[in-house]
Amino acid sequence: MKNETKRSVADSMETRTKILPYLPYLIQDLWVMGSSINQILSGIESLNLLANATVLDLCCGKGGVSVQIAKKFGFKVTGVDAMSVFLDIAQKKAKEYNVSHLCEFIEQDVNDYSKHSHNFDLVILASAGAVFGDNKKTLGILRSQIKSGGYIFIDDGYLREGSTISNRKGYEYCMTYQDTKDALLS
């Protein structure tokens, strides 16, 4: 893994790069890492996507979101993550849930993967933090991954109204819910 990728992964996991080799052990009991799977599934259900929809799950981790989308909706899901050990677990879970034919897992830095435009019906960025930078840059990158009329699903946290975080790596782009909503709609 390139040093730049290691830093990106460490930032999204809110840790230091020297911890990365130990992450699989430290979070071995977590399959869906930080994402609200029920909210994601409910949100997708409301989109009324066609049966042959394609989904991109960026920073897919161990595949918890990808596998459950494939299982519930029968969609073809591509998960991208830089941690090979996580992707091994994702592939095992896809097999366990009988959706390995619907799931493809790619080991790559999401920043590199997203340099090329794709044509997905839906792109998901769940609990990855500011892996692409500020909201405007992130939205531009995510838009390049979907076809015209496609959907973007971002599952992330927000600051409490009136709160700020300064000088904390990975949090420099955090905003309140309203500020985030305003930025995404502008």
Side-chain angles (χ1 to χ4, degrees), residues 39 107 112 122 128 131 133:
Q39 287 182 350
E107 181 183 347
D112 293 336
L122 169 66
V131 69

Side-chain angles (χ1 to χ4, degrees), residues 68-84:
Q68 292 184 62
I69 288 170
K71 183 71 176 175
K72 180 168 182 158
F73 301 107
F75 297 159
K76 171 84 171 113
V77 183
T78 300
V80 181
D81 202 281
M83 297 281 291
S84 61

Side-chain angles (χ1 to χ4, degrees), residues 17-178:
T17 56
K18 66 183 178 181
I19 299 295
L20 291 180
Y22 307 103
L23 272 180
Y25 175 74
L26 294 170
I27 58 175
Q28 64 185 326
D29 295 331
L30 297 176
W31 181 31
V32 180
M33 302 182 304
S35 301
S36 178
I37 187 61
N38 290 332
Q39 287 182 350
I40 292 172
L41 294 174
S42 177
I44 292 171
E45 195 166 42
S46 74
L47 299 177
N48 296 316
L49 291 167
L50 299 176
N52 63 345
T54 57
V55 178
L56 173 61
D57 184 4
L58 292 169
C59 300
C60 70
K62 298 177 185 180
V65 171
S66 298
V67 169
Q68 292 184 62
I69 288 170
K71 183 71 176 175
K72 180 168 182 158
F73 301 107
F75 297 159
K76 171 84 171 113
V77 183
T78 300
V80 181
D81 202 281
M83 297 281 291
S84 61
V85 67
F86 287 173
L87 295 176
D88 291 342
I89 294 166
Q91 290 171 344
K92 288 176 187 170
K93 287 291 192 177
K95 189 174 184 176
E96 177 185 328
Y97 279 70
N98 297 313
V99 293
S100 55
H101 63 290
L102 295 172
C103 295
E104 176 186 16
F105 295 104
I106 298 171
E107 181 183 347
Q108 190 173 5
D109 184 324
V110 294
N111 287 285
D112 293 336
Y113 182 86
S114 62
K115 285 180 182 174
H116 304 284
S117 295
H118 294 92
N119 210 25
F120 291 93
D121 295 295
L122 169 66
V123 62
I124 298 170
L125 183 65
S127 298
V131 69
F132 295 120
D134 65 27
N135 285 334
K136 186 174 182 173
K137 183 176 180 186
T138 298
L139 208 52
I141 289 169
L142 297 179
R143 282 185 178 132
S144 74
Q145 303 304 300
I146 57 172
K147 61 178 72 171
S148 179
Y151 297 94
I152 296 171
F153 197 106
I154 300 173
D155 179 18
D156 209 346
Y158 308 95
L159 295 176
R160 261 187 248 156
E161 204 59 48
S163 299
T164 60
I165 296 178
S166 59
N167 300 326
R168 180 125 184 243
K169 182 76 172 145
Y171 288 89
E172 55 272 10
Y173 301 113
C174 287
M175 296 186 279
T176 65
Y177 173 76
Q178 188 60 50

